[in-house]
Amino acid sequence: MKKELKHLIVIMLLSLGFVSCHDDLDQSPIDPDSFTEEDVFANATEAKGALAKLYASLALTGQQGPSGQADIADIDEGFSQYSRMLFNLNELTTDHAVVGWGDAGLPDLHGQYWSGSNDFSEAMYYRLAQEVSFCNSFIGNAAALTDAEVSNFIAEARFLRAFAYYNLMDLYGSVPLVTEVTTDLPSQASRTELFNFVESELLAIQGELKPGRSNEYGRVDEVAAWALLSKLYLNAEVWTGSARYTDCVTYSNNVINSGYSINMNDANGNGTAYDELFLADNDTNGAQDEFIFALNFDGLRSQTYGGTTFLVHAAIGGSMDATEFGVNGGWAGIRTTKNLVEKFAANIDDLNAALGTQSDWGLVGDGTPNGWDGPDTEMFQTGSNQFGLYVDLTDGFMKFRFNEDWGNNYGDDDPQDGALENGGGNIPVTAGTYYITLDLNALTYTITPFTADKRGMFYSDGQNLEIESIPPFENGYAVTKFKNVDSDGFQGSDAAGDFVDSDLPLIRLAEIYLNYAEATVRGGGGDLGLATMKINELRERATGGAFANISSGDITLDFILDERSKELYWEGQRRTDLIRYDYFTTDAYLWPFKGNEPAGTSVSSFRNLFPLPTSIITVNPNLSQNEGY
């Protein structure tokens, strides 16, 4: 079904040739001589092809892909793709990402000093305006068809228009509200008016969209409307001044009970199913059961320099091997800050306390926390003559010792065999966090690298955790979350390694779990026990076990924000989350080069919104620029 939708998209790109013009939210598609609206809307089959263009406008950038006939003028076509710009505006402006490229306007984003003529905020406005225009045109023309299925198509178009306005409201605040194709210069709607429109549209179409899980993969159903309402209500207090957390709980609960499910299929056997969400076969490996609204990509049939092609290539640099990611090379651009990396640090004391009773057997050596002079780092008894310990080691050596008595110690004369000898040789170790076991029955041991939360997917070899300057690429850990390989490790469909197959979730069930929890803590009347259970479901997937589970007493607003960061990083959510917590511009939370200062600093609160494009303000006297610009 994914391939069928992508095939439709390609047909439409070749046959429609819609072109964007830069005129507010009254943009209208300009049809080539060989195309007429009568052809497209002759029947339901043709209308379905036109519907594909509405989805394609978010995934692709023009008529022929990956470049050459762009929808948006005056910007590099690859830059203009929706989710690539969403990354730039909602992730690059936060603690989640930095980029070393010097393209005009790009460094401004992480430094939070952009202007009204910023190419990227301007292009995002045009992309969303174009989507509104396309949807308006489709809705107006499809209304004349009597086929029963067309009512579903129209509801999907209304969802996509509401989604575009959701983004416009989030990013720009007050923009024109246009619901039909017109050449009149539109007036500016307030943020509250936009909120009310999006809400009313989603409530109206929920019964017109297909039931949950019954539509083709890649197309939205009624659950997508509930999920977008969940997101809308979670941010209502910021956007309108009136809290709607009870409504957020209601619609989050609808989604939770809808039939979508968290992917727990660890197809590649690495101990967690989380990474399956971002692989080349995430339309079939189980991840699709979690995706409520996703952008579809195919390395052969829907090529773009945005989307997951951007997320994979741009994150590869330094000593990284691009072939491990299923592509032919890296663009050495985007990395992350220490703020994100450190959220994944394990609480070793809590992990060890859960193992059992502290024993007299311990570790000693210059690779252990207390060196050769001790005291020994004591292990925990996990069974009869069985011991375990989570520990941070440094480069050096270690041995096992009983009660700090050199008369009773074990080492390994051949560190390759994992067998211990009484008084044996020093065991070499390297820096890192490990889970170490000691079996006195078999006289064996294990030293296993340990990552408590496997959602933290970073490349650190040759990379500096601290970012002293944003170029070069080696400053900041690289992110390995997105890959163009499938669950069996095979490269995506583009044998040349240029373009990526992995689909990109815009809304998935895990986010709605976290929406429910946050709205509950903020007074929305939800069930804190259910919120705890759902968060533990995500944490168990992330760790491969229940050892990191939390209780309801652990759930605070800051805890949820950190969980959102760990679960959703690089998925286009972070700026919106930080604004909701009043952390985006204030000094309550800092990260490297926030406010263009190495240690981070606060910026003026007007940067909670992006400016309307200067070019738009110039041609439409009905519009007022956002404060501060």
Side-chain angles (χ1 to χ4, degrees):
M1 287 183 290
K2 168 182 175 179
K3 305 303 182 188
E4 291 172 0
L5 182 61
K6 288 181 177 178
H7 186 58
L8 267 175
I9 289 173
V10 173
I11 290 172
M12 285 307 301
L13 293 179
L14 294 175
S15 64
L16 249 74
F18 282 168
V19 179
S20 165
C21 56
H22 287 189
D23 290 323
D24 300 306
L25 289 178
D26 63 348
Q27 297 179 22
S28 58
I30 301 173
D31 305 334
D33 293 338
S34 61
F35 169 77
T36 65
E37 289 178 346
E38 288 77 11
D39 294 329
V40 169
F41 295 99
N43 54 54
T45 300
E46 299 298 330
K48 184 178 181 181
L51 177 67
K53 175 60 183 180
L54 307 186
Y55 286 98
S57 183
L58 295 176
L60 306 179
T61 56
Q63 284 27 275
Q64 67 180 25
S67 61
Q69 295 185 37
D71 285 334
I72 306 294
D74 304 324
I75 189 171
D76 179 277
E77 184 174 341
F79 285 160
S80 75
Q81 190 268 335
Y82 163 75
S83 66
R84 180 167 177 173
M85 288 188 293
L86 186 68
F87 178 92
N88 286 339
L89 299 187
N90 260 11
E91 300 286 344
L92 184 56
T93 56
T94 76
D95 57 330
H96 278 184
V98 296
V99 64
W101 302 326
D103 303 86
L106 196 57
D108 312 10
L109 295 175
H110 187 78
Q112 296 187 331
Y113 57 90
W114 57 81
S115 70
S117 58
N118 183 273
D119 287 346
F120 300 95
S121 62
E122 181 180 73
M124 180 60 132
Y125 183 95
Y126 289 138
R127 175 63 65 188
L128 294 169
Q130 175 189 256
E131 180 71 357
V132 169
S133 176
F134 287 171
C135 290
N136 284 342
S137 179
F138 180 92
I139 293 165
N141 285 287
L145 295 176
T146 58
D147 308 66
E149 190 177 16
V150 174
S151 65
N152 297 132
F153 298 167
I154 292 173
E156 290 179 54
R158 290 173 71 182
F159 172 90
L160 293 170
R161 182 175 63 181
F163 180 76
Y165 270 117
Y166 172 94
N167 282 264
L168 285 161
M169 174 175 47
D170 177 22
L171 296 167
Y172 306 99
S174 299
V175 301
L177 176 57
V178 181
T179 58
E180 59 185 15
V181 176
T182 175
T183 57
D184 296 334
L185 289 176
S187 299
Q188 197 163 5
S190 70
R191 216 176 194 185
T192 298
E193 289 171 330
L194 294 168
F195 182 98
N196 292 340
F197 171 75
V198 173
E199 178 188 25
S200 64
E201 282 289 280
L202 295 173
L203 291 173
I205 65 175
Q206 58 183 325
E208 297 294 323
L209 292 165
K210 289 191 175 183
R213 306 299 310 279
S214 67
N215 211 346
E216 292 175 291
Y217 175 77
R219 292 171 56 192
V220 295
D221 56 31
E222 65 179 354
V223 181
W226 298 340
L228 191 52
L229 283 166
S230 166
K231 292 165 65 74
L232 184 74
Y233 292 136
L234 186 64
N235 291 288
E237 189 168 16
V238 171
W239 294 344
T240 71
S242 299
R244 300 287 296 275
Y245 299 116
T246 299
D247 291 318
C248 179
V249 165
T250 296
Y251 282 92
S252 299
N253 200 51
N254 287 351
V255 176
I256 290 169
N257 295 318
S258 67
Y260 283 85
S261 59
I262 295 296
N263 174 46
M264 300 300 290
N265 179 31
D266 180 18
N268 61 11
N270 71 345
T272 175
Y274 180 77
D275 67 334
E276 307 282 335
L277 300 171
F278 313 104
L279 298 181
D281 59 345
N282 59 358
D283 61 319
T284 59
N285 66 13
Q288 75 277 9
D289 296 332
E290 185 171 334
F291 292 175
I292 296 169
F293 181 32
L295 298 182
N296 291 359
F297 296 103
D298 186 292
L300 295 178
R301 292 192 275 186
S302 56
Q303 296 178 346
T304 174
Y305 290 112
T308 47
T309 291
F310 160 72
L311 289 172
V312 174
H313 279 283
I316 299 171
S319 63
M320 300 171 73
D321 182 357
T323 62
E324 294 181 2
F325 297 84
V327 293
N328 57 14
W331 300 348
I334 50 178
R335 296 94 66 205
T336 193
T337 76
K338 65 180 181 181
N339 290 48
L340 177 61
V341 175
E342 289 173 350
K343 292 186 193 310
F344 292 94
N347 188 322
I348 289 178
D349 290 339
D350 288 346
L351 293 171
N352 282 326
L355 290 176
T357 304
Q358 199 165 33
S359 74
D360 289 328
W361 280 97
L363 309 183
V364 63
D366 58 1
T368 69
N370 299 322
W372 286 114
D373 294 330
D376 296 354
T377 305
E378 294 176 326
M379 304 184 75
F380 292 79
Q381 187 157 4
T382 58
S384 177
N385 286 325
Q386 310 284 323
F387 305 89
L389 181 70
Y390 295 95
V391 64
D392 290 320
L393 300 179
T394 58
D395 292 340
F397 296 89
M398 58 157 275
K399 299 186 77 173
F400 297 94
R401 187 166 67 167
F402 180 76
N403 201 25
E404 302 181 14
D405 178 7
W406 279 114
N408 194 358
N409 79 88
Y410 286 93
D412 189 353
D413 293 330
D414 180 7
Q416 304 301 316
D417 63 9
L420 293 169
E421 291 83 29
N422 191 359
N426 296 339
I427 302 168
V429 294
T430 57
T433 302
Y434 297 88
Y435 179 57
I436 299 178
T437 66
L438 169 63
D439 182 347
L440 291 178
N441 293 320
L443 287 183
T444 57
Y445 69 100
T446 62
I447 303 176
T448 306
F450 176 76
T451 302
D453 192 327
K454 295 178 182 177
R455 293 175 295 189
M457 292 184 277
F458 306 111
Y459 184 89
S460 60
D461 188 12
Q463 302 294 127
N464 302 314
L465 179 62
E466 298 287 344
I467 301 176
E468 295 182 0
S469 62
I470 290 180
F473 182 84
E474 287 74 15
N475 280 342
Y477 280 8
V479 170
T480 61
K481 181 172 178 174
F482 296 91
K483 299 180 179 68
N484 186 38
V485 296
D486 65 19
S487 302
D488 295 319
F490 295 110
Q491 181 178 320
S493 61
D494 178 17
D498 290 315
F499 301 101
V500 170
D501 282 351
S502 310
D503 296 341
L504 181 65
L506 297 178
I507 310 175
R508 57 186 176 90
L509 182 59
E511 177 194 351
I512 307 304
Y513 281 8
L514 294 163
N515 289 2
Y516 180 92
E518 184 178 334
T520 296
V521 174
R522 289 188 184 273
D527 180 348
L528 191 58
L530 176 62
T532 304
M533 182 175 70
K534 293 304 179 182
I535 288 177
N536 280 338
E537 188 177 341
L538 301 180
R539 290 171 70 87
E540 286 184 26
R541 174 172 69 179
T543 61
F547 60 85
N549 282 5
I550 48 96
S551 65
S552 59
D554 297 316
I555 299 183
T556 64
L557 285 176
D558 280 337
F559 172 86
I560 295 169
L561 182 62
D562 283 347
E563 282 298 303
R564 292 184 71 90
S565 181
K566 291 186 285 187
E567 180 70 29
L568 302 170
Y569 67 97
W570 283 29
E571 296 180 50
Q573 309 269 6
R574 185 61 168 170
R575 168 191 155 275
T576 309
D577 289 346
L578 291 176
I579 289 173
R580 196 170 59 253
Y581 277 73
D582 198 26
Y583 287 169
F584 184 63
T585 57
T586 68
D587 60 6
Y589 180 59
L590 301 177
W591 56 84
F593 287 91
K594 177 180 181 177
N596 207 34
E597 290 290 335
T601 188
S602 62
V603 299
S604 298
S605 61
F606 73 80
R607 296 203 180 275
N608 285 328
L609 286 174
F610 289 101
L612 299 181
T614 301
S615 55
I616 292 296
I617 298 293
T618 302
V619 300
N620 188 349
N622 297 330
L623 304 183
S624 298
Q625 183 57 279
N626 287 329
E627 179 185 351
Y629 299 104

